[in-house]
Structures are given as C-alpha cells and as structure tokens.
Amino acid sequence: MEDRWLSASEIEGVARWGPLSEIEENDFNLNIARYVQKPFEEGTATVEEVLKDFQNKLAALEQAEEELEALLIKEDFEV
C-alpha cells in the first residue's frame, strides 16, 4: 500500500505532490484550488465582440422558444 502512495504520479490540474514548504507558505491551507487547479486565464474581448455573442445567443434562444411553442401547440398544450 505504501508503495502505491509513494509512486503516485502527478495529474495536471487534478493531483500533485506539494512540498511542505509550499503548504506552510499558504498558512497550511489545504484547499485543492491552491495546489492543483489551473489559474483562471481571463481572455479579453471587446464590447463589440461580447455584444455580438450576446445577440447570437439571444437569437438562438428565441428560435428554441419558437420551436418549443410549435411542439406544444402540436401536442395540444395550452400556450
């Protein structure tokens, strides 16, 4: 059993061995996010790009609502 524990490998973003010094630097906080999760990389987008993306998603939502309403009417549901 100890051999498995000692030979455990690192899995990027999931599990890794951390030195005690690093844990001490983090005030012994063992929160997983501090040690294995990749830092959030925020992408930059222009207002125009975000607005266009929003408009596309809104149009897709409106289309889905229309399709749902048509199906409900076809099946005699009250809309």
Side-chain angles (χ1 to χ4, degrees), residues 3 5 8 11 17-19 33 37 39 41 45 47-48 51 56 60 65-66 69-70 74-75 77 79:
D3 291 340
W5 180 73
I11 303 169
W17 290 103
Q37 293 177 339
E41 295 178 15
V47 172
E48 292 81 12
L51 183 58
N56 289 338
E65 287 178 339
E66 290 173 10
E69 186 175 338
K74 179 181 175 184
E75 297 297 324
F77 283 89
V79 180

Side-chain angles (χ1 to χ4, degrees), residues 23-43:
I23 296 170
E24 185 176 7
E25 286 172 17
N26 289 318
D27 295 322
F28 298 97
N29 182 334
L30 297 178
N31 185 321
I32 294 169
R34 288 190 174 271
Y35 303 97
V36 297
Q37 293 177 339
K38 294 179 184 175
F40 179 71
E41 295 178 15
E42 188 174 331

Side-chain angles (χ1 to χ4, degrees), residues 61-78:
L61 175 62
E62 290 170 350
Q63 178 66 34
E65 287 178 339
E66 290 173 10
E67 291 173 12
L68 176 59
E69 186 175 338
L71 287 171
L72 291 172
I73 290 170
K74 179 181 175 184
E75 297 297 324
D76 295 325
F77 283 89
E78 210 173 298

